[in-house]
Amino acid sequence: MKYWTLTEADIDRIAVGCGILGTGGGGSTYHGSLRAKALLREGKRIRMVRPADMAPDAQIIGIGGIGAPTVGIEKIAEGGEGVRLMHALERHMGRKVDALLGDEVGGGNGIAPMLTAAMVDLPVVDADGMGRAFPEVQMTTFFIHGQPVQPAALADADGNVLIVTEATTPKMLEKLLRASTIAMGCTALMTTAPMSGDFVRRFGVPHTTSQAWSLGNAVLNARAAKEDPVEAILRQSGGMRLMRGKVTDIARRVSAGFNRGTLTVAGLDEDAGRSIAIEIQNEYLIAREGETIITMVPDLICIVDSETGRAIGTEELRYGLRIDVLSMPAPVLLRSEIALESVGPRAFGYDFDFVPVGISADAPAVPQYEEDA
Amino acid sequence: MLRIGVDVGGTNTDAALLRGTEVLATVKSSTTADVTSGVSAAIRTVLAEAGVAAGSVDAVMIGTTHFLNAVVEGRHLEKVGVLRLCGASTRSLPPMIDWPDTLRPVVDGGAALVGGGVNYDGSEIAPLDGPAIREACRDWRARGIGAVAICSVFALVDPRMENEAAEIVAEEMPEAAISLSHRVGRTGLLPRESATILNASLHTLGRETVGAFRSAFSALGLNCPLYLTQNDGTLMTADFAERYPVFTIASGPTNSMRGAAFLTGLSDAAVIDIGGTTTDIGMLVAGFPRTRSEGAMIGGVPTNFRVPDVYSFGLGGGSIVRPGDAPTVGPDSVGFRLPEKALSFGGDTLTATDIAVAAGLVDLGDRDHLSQITPDFARRMLAQMKASIETVLDRMKPSAEPIPAILVGGGSVLVDGLLEGTSVSLKPDHFGSANAIGAAIAQVSGEVDSVVSLEGTTREKALESVVAEARARAVEAGAAAETVTLAEIEETPLAYLPGNAVRIAAKVIGELRA
């Protein structure tokens, strides 16, 4: 089996890429990349493995953070949450876990599984359940395709571990986990039910860590060569630039625990005279130009700084920022009829059907897999 | 009230003497290696120029980059013992994990992560572990460590554990300087802890520097109170500055923006500070600089100090001009060597100042040296410089509405006429000493940033108690209690939480106690 063993430089690239795939949300990659690099310095290893290379009957669990970002920056993880989660599940199931993955590649959760994997020396599967960031647990390709709701588990920094043995629906699981997270001080690590290697190969969004690495690599190389990092992202992603412009208005509101808002971007240079409005619910969901919807969820709307190519989160938006609004086709799995029920515009309360932009293609694995581990 | 404001920069020390709102005199002199002799000289000159006796001065306010330079250069810093009150939590990211490798060994005196800390709702993570604290103290004491930084998880929700821990440390290490995170920073454990460690590390230098200022002042015959300006442009007493030197660390840009506001009477405007090497553009909102949403990097250390949201780029009086098909200005500069390098002074380098001289915007040096600059080229370069300022200005503005712009700093001669996107572009008298004037007119503030659970209380009561704490801090820092007013209040419900927790940040401002 071919592995890709990560270096500190890889972590930097993956962090930049996860920021872009966060589509405005997904949380900061800062704590995760600090921790990942510290683990590598301690001599631990982080090995990635392609989903196709997993044994069909391998047991794989998804790991990710849940909670309020404001709390997470203060009550930082203890570090062993993931190990406790995994061991609790193993005891419950009576069998070992063989590999980990992230349910969400966007933002900090793209790095979260690597930390636990390094501590227990298990591989991380180069796949996730979103190919971007979404706000809720049930919005993964795994749940969409019948991942069992139980057993799921939650662990906090203080040593509490909770196993959910029965939940009626994925949406109910989301509610249970969120309520328990509040009892745990509003920040916790979660895992959903174990999946087989075969299931992940069929229903995971493939090579999204590779994709994050390639995006980050393109940005960092372009910066080092004093070239345009946004052009580099476009070349790498096969996405398109909706507009180069500046933020002219950002209207925000908080409702039902979500940060919502509308962003207005006015075109600059060859886009002068155009204007795009983007609707936000934690992530960038819908882009309109006049009456025309030009990109909609689950296709990705990524906003990056025009000069540096750095992803701009929804919380950083303010008048005058020079940004490029990019659109990337959602992975194949997110565009299916069944997926759109959970992650299409109607799932977010919009009264229209999904119209795709661009051609959906799965990201290739990085060439580093060809090297022997 | 007769006040002297001093701004100690890396190159120049500026002083300004004000009576009430009238500027009596300003001077610019060179910063000296020992800092205090330069400050003494500047004060002596400004007093002599205005014919005012030292004894009649009511207050001196100093803004200094001295402590910032100490951190940047990694000199005069003390080793610090770090006490984190966290229970099991937070251990994945130990103290100073994101410090530069050059600075960490200079400051790191060892960390103890012990039982303690609270959750966002004030409930205890773990009881305070007194014995573990004593053990850490004995180790630090044996190793000659004299400064301790204490940081509790959610100290801003409930600071009691930090206070209790401080009492224990004081028993074990009676000579130690103790810095508490809830007095230093904002929400965000790592950056607040780092700021607390920096503060502890600067403790001896703070005491020595403030002491040196005090003795220099008595030598000058000044017997008035001494204040230092903080990052937000407000004042703290010298006593307070001795304990919290880290609060002075980013005060420079703020002083210049506050001075610009004072000189023009504008409270909402863009401030464009053009120096020899860089242009700094910031926004005044209600008389104070708008702050960055991210915290400041201090000597490579991420902190969460609120510092002015200033965009700096390489354009100044000394910027090097390269003619050709696509002529450029800067970002490199001849800097402080302008008087020997610039063409108009007989040097060999074409600078932005030469363009201004050629265009007749300023009368400096000898225009005969500038025959190679055609009027058309000068016009073109001035337009280019102006356009680069306008682009940054537009990026910084709060909205598309035109706003007034204030030009300060020696390089502001480069700009002629109205800047695009502005309603008026002002270049006030004394524009070169705006920073010293900003220090002289500073007020006193108090700030609290806290996450408050609304269970068992009301929103109004929670707001009230946060504001009361901010007032107490302002008074402690030297404000006259009856003048303290609320300047800013921010209320943010926490995302993904039910409606019972809210982050409240309050800032109050008052006049200096006479």
Side-chain angles (χ1 to χ4, degrees):
Chain A
M1 194 185 302
K2 302 284 188 189
Y3 290 109
W4 166 28
T5 304
L6 302 186
T7 63
E8 289 191 43
D10 292 331
I11 300 294
D12 287 333
R13 279 156 175 75
I14 290 166
V16 170
C18 287
I20 295 169
L21 295 175
T23 57
S28 163
T29 55
Y30 184 64
H31 282 180
S33 52
L34 274 180
R35 174 80 176 134
K37 290 195 267 186
L39 286 164
L40 295 182
R41 254 170 264 157
E42 283 170 25
K44 302 277 197 296
R45 53 181 189 171
I46 301 172
R47 289 176 305 155
M48 303 299 302
V49 58
R50 289 173 293 201
D53 287 349
M54 288 306 299
D57 62 344
Q59 289 283 294
I60 302 165
I61 60 169
I63 276 189
I66 176 169
T70 312
V71 173
I73 59 169
E74 184 72 26
K75 192 181 178 187
I76 298 167
E78 180 268 339
E81 288 88 340
V83 178
R84 292 194 289 278
L85 273 185
M86 195 183 99
H87 289 159
L89 272 194
E90 285 178 336
R91 280 193 301 274
H92 181 77
M93 301 184 298
R95 71 170 284 185
K96 290 276 182 200
V97 165
D98 302 307
L100 309 174
L101 57 68
D103 286 317
E104 166 179 78
V105 75
N109 277 339
I111 294 175
M114 296 172 186
L115 310 178
T116 300
M119 294 174 78
V120 296
D121 201 31
L122 284 181
V124 179
V125 185
D126 191 353
D128 79 308
M130 294 181 177
R132 48 168 296 159
F134 282 126
E136 296 185 350
V137 170
Q138 76 278 2
M139 296 174 168
T140 66
T141 50
F142 304 129
F143 279 126
I144 290 165
H145 291 280
Q147 178 188 10
V149 177
Q150 57 276 334
L154 197 63
D156 67 11
D158 307 322
N160 298 297
V161 180
L162 178 89
I163 293 189
V164 180
T165 55
E166 296 288 342
T168 49
T169 61
K171 183 111 185 160
M172 187 62 202
L173 176 68
E174 154 80 22
K175 280 190 191 172
L176 291 172
L177 292 181
R178 223 163 270 284
S180 309
T181 300
I182 290 164
M184 288 177 164
C186 273
T187 181
L189 204 68
M190 57 163 283
T191 175
T192 50
M195 298 169 276
S196 70
D198 179 57
F199 184 84
V200 168
R201 189 183 56 73
R202 287 197 296 151
F203 301 121
V205 183
H207 310 142
T208 45
T209 304
S210 283
Q211 187 187 11
W213 185 92
S214 302
L215 286 170
N217 187 52
V219 169
L220 295 183
N221 288 349
R223 279 188 211 161
K226 306 228 181 288
E227 289 163 6
D228 183 353
V230 183
E231 286 296 334
I233 293 171
L234 291 174
R235 263 198 313 273
Q236 181 57 48
S237 67
M240 63 176 189
R241 191 200 316 262
L242 298 181
M243 182 185 276
R244 171 160 288 186
K246 71 168 186 176
V247 175
T248 53
D249 189 46
I250 170 77
R252 292 180 213 274
R253 60 196 189 278
V254 174
S255 72
F258 294 111
N259 295 311
R260 293 170 195 266
T262 306
L263 164 72
T264 311
V265 189
L268 291 173
D269 307 331
E270 64 254 46
D271 293 322
R274 294 175 56 205
S275 170
I276 288 182
I278 294 163
E279 289 175 36
I280 301 168
Q281 177 185 323
N282 286 20
E283 284 87 30
Y284 305 117
L285 297 184
I286 307 280
R288 291 176 206 267
E289 185 162 10
E291 294 301 302
T292 316
I293 299 165
I294 46 179
T295 301
M296 66 184 84
V297 77
D299 281 347
L300 284 68
I301 299 168
C302 306
I303 294 187
V304 298
D305 183 286
S306 295
E307 263 172 61
T308 65
R310 188 178 70 88
I312 304 284
T314 57
E315 285 139 42
E316 292 177 74
L317 294 167
R318 66 147 196 261
Y319 175 86
L321 277 181
R322 256 58 176 176
I323 57 172
D324 278 57
V325 183
L326 313 178
S327 163
M328 298 182 197
V332 179
L333 276 166
L334 290 186
R335 282 183 169 183
S336 71
E337 236 5 71
I338 179 175
L340 291 173
E341 285 171 23
S342 293
V343 298
R346 291 189 188 278
F348 290 89
Y350 294 97
D351 192 21
F352 46 78
D353 291 314
F354 175 66
V355 180
V357 178
I359 295 158
S360 201
D362 291 332
V366 292
Q368 286 91 319
Y369 281 105
E370 295 311 316
E371 294 162 19
D372 280 311
Chain B
M1 199 178 187
L2 208 52
R3 315 202 242 192
I4 295 175
V6 182
D7 183 272
V8 190
T11 315
N12 287 314
T13 296
D14 292 290
L17 179 66
L18 278 78
R19 176 178 283 125
T21 55
E22 183 194 357
V23 181
L24 301 182
T26 56
V27 299
K28 208 177 236 326
S29 60
S30 294
T31 297
T32 53
D34 67 342
V35 179
T36 43
S37 64
V39 171
S40 295
I43 293 179
R44 210 177 289 123
T45 314
V46 85
L47 286 172
E49 218 163 87
V52 165
S56 58
V57 175
D58 294 301
V60 176
M61 290 79 173
I62 298 183
T64 177
T65 52
H66 193 50
F67 299 110
L68 176 61
N69 295 340
V71 174
V72 170
E73 291 162 22
R75 295 192 305 140
H76 310 297
L77 300 174
E78 255 183 287
K79 278 216 188 319
V80 178
V82 184
L83 195 56
R84 186 191 281 180
L85 314 179
C86 55
S89 76
T90 78
R91 287 168 189 261
S92 63
L93 297 175
M96 307 176 82
I97 187 167
D98 52 357
W99 285 43
D101 289 336
T102 45
L103 191 58
R104 192 188 305 106
V106 179
V107 176
D108 190 0
L113 280 62
V114 305
V118 298
N119 286 303
Y120 77 96
D121 59 357
S123 64
E124 199 175 86
I125 293 175
L128 191 67
D129 189 346
I133 295 172
R134 288 183 199 280
E135 194 187 316
C137 288
R138 284 179 200 135
D139 173 51
W140 289 329
R141 198 173 181 201
R143 287 166 42 219
I145 284 166
V148 176
I150 304 178
C151 186
S152 162
V153 175
F154 278 116
L156 302 172
V157 169
D158 186 348
R160 274 177 299 187
M161 282 211 196
E162 283 191 356
N163 293 327
E164 281 171 41
E167 283 171 28
I168 298 171
V169 174
E171 280 170 31
E172 295 289 333
M173 304 170 71
E175 309 297 322
I178 302 171
S179 296
L180 305 180
S181 88
H182 74 274
R183 301 308 308 270
V184 170
R186 305 168 63 84
T187 300
L189 185 78
L190 276 185
R192 183 176 73 251
E193 179 178 73
S194 293
T196 313
I197 296 168
L198 283 176
N199 189 62
S201 186
L202 286 165
H203 175 260
T204 301
L205 184 65
R207 213 169 37 193
E208 285 171 4
T209 307
V210 174
F213 282 142
R214 284 203 178 100
S215 36
F217 289 166
S218 52
L220 285 168
L222 293 162
N223 47 22
C224 56
L226 166 65
Y227 299 92
L228 277 85
T229 61
Q230 322 191 49
N231 302 335
D232 67 353
T234 61
L235 298 174
M236 54 184 166
T237 62
D239 289 347
F240 191 80
E242 273 181 305
R243 282 182 287 141
Y244 296 101
V246 81
F247 285 143
T248 68
I249 221 154
S251 64
T254 310
N255 289 338
S256 130
M257 292 178 71
R258 291 272 300 148
F262 173 83
L263 287 171
T264 55
L266 293 172
S267 56
D268 294 270
V271 177
I272 301 160
D273 187 349
I274 310 178
T277 305
T278 59
T279 294
D280 294 344
I281 300 185
M283 289 296 134
L284 281 168
V285 180
F288 283 85
R290 181 177 74 198
T291 50
R292 264 161 59 103
S293 52
E294 296 161 67
M297 278 280 203
I298 310 281
V301 177
T303 72
N304 51 14
F305 282 127
R306 287 201 116 175
V307 293
D309 182 16
V310 169
Y311 191 96
S312 258
F313 60 105
L315 174 65
S319 291
I320 295 171
V321 177
R322 291 188 180 82
D325 290 344
T328 58
V329 189
D332 48 349
S333 165
V334 298
F336 66 91
R337 290 182 309 172
L338 185 71
E340 42 173 300
K341 287 286 196 184
L343 287 186
S344 44
F345 296 110
D348 59 1
T349 310
L350 177 58
T351 65
T353 298
D354 298 318
I355 301 289
V357 173
L361 295 180
V362 62
D363 192 14
L364 278 175
D366 188 346
R367 290 186 65 174
D368 293 344
H369 294 304
L370 303 176
S371 49
Q372 65 175 90
I373 305 176
T374 64
D376 183 55
F377 181 71
R379 257 196 308 276
R380 187 168 162 201
M381 294 319 293
L382 287 174
Q384 192 170 323
M385 291 189 261
K386 202 169 169 187
S388 65
I389 291 172
E390 286 164 348
T391 304
V392 176
L393 189 61
D394 188 48
R395 216 180 164 131
M396 299 295 292
K397 280 167 62 180
S399 75
E401 295 299 304
I403 51 165
I406 310 168
L407 290 147
V408 295
S412 50
V413 295
L414 299 178
V415 178
D416 187 32
L418 191 70
L419 289 157
E420 194 185 308
T422 69
S423 52
V424 57
S425 301
L426 300 169
K427 214 174 296 174
D429 291 343
H430 304 291
F431 63 83
S433 303
N435 44 11
I437 290 165
I441 53 131
Q443 294 168 297
V444 182
S445 73
E447 239 184 304
V448 174
D449 172 359
S450 186
V451 177
V452 180
S453 168
L454 298 183
E455 263 165 38
T457 184
T458 63
R459 187 179 148 264
E460 288 70 27
K461 277 190 186 152
L463 288 171
E464 212 172 278
S465 105
V466 169
V467 172
E469 173 65 21
R471 278 172 184 279
R473 288 191 186 182
V475 171
E476 189 191 345
E482 67 281 6
T483 64
V484 175
T485 55
L486 186 61
E488 235 178 80
I489 191 147
E490 232 180 279
E491 205 188 332
T492 330
L494 301 193
Y496 285 126
L497 280 179
N500 63 352
V502 60
R503 179 173 174 184
I504 303 174
K507 179 173 173 173
V508 300
I509 287 177
E511 293 300 326
L512 193 58
R513 202 154 46 225

